Amino acid sequence: MERMMEPSLTDIDDMIVHEKMQAALEHQNEAWADGMADGIEPEIIADAAIALAMRETIRLHGEEGAEAMLNSLRERMLAGEFSPQRSIQ
């Protein structure tokens, strides 16, 4: 009888991070929709969200950590990860 492999702790941690990311994105989408409903332009909402994210990242990880995050985001952007035309499978 074949026994299914149990997920490793790393796999479980990855799943937890993925679930938290999905929940965070849902909250961000709700905040975005609320801002739009209040008549705030998307560019202003985006600027405010990025500014808040940067302040929190610097508070938690310092300027070097924030710079590393920005470099990672730049690479992901150039790879098309955030493109609206990107299909998620």
Side-chain angles (χ1 to χ4, degrees):
M1 175 184 282
E2 284 187 42
R3 184 173 166 223
M4 290 181 55
M5 285 184 50
E6 294 184 21
S8 70
L9 288 178
T10 302
D11 292 338
I12 292 170
D13 287 343
D14 289 346
M15 287 187 282
I16 290 169
V17 168
H18 178 76
E19 288 179 16
K20 286 181 178 181
M21 177 64 84
Q22 291 305 115
L25 288 171
E26 287 177 25
H27 288 291
Q28 292 294 324
N29 284 333
E30 289 174 19
W32 190 282
D34 289 345
M36 293 286 292
D38 287 343
I40 302 171
E41 291 83 355
E43 297 82 5
I44 295 173
I45 297 170
D47 191 274
I50 292 168
L52 177 60
M54 287 307 303
R55 279 194 297 276
E56 285 300 304
T57 300
I58 291 170
R59 184 179 67 78
L60 294 170
H61 303 288
E63 289 182 357
E64 287 182 13
E67 184 178 11
M69 182 192 76
L70 286 173
N71 289 335
S72 172
L73 287 171
R74 182 177 189 280
E75 290 174 13
R76 293 165 60 192
M77 180 191 69
L78 293 174
E81 181 175 335
F82 307 116
S83 173
Q85 291 79 28
R86 181 174 180 249
S87 63
I88 300 174
Q89 298 180 0

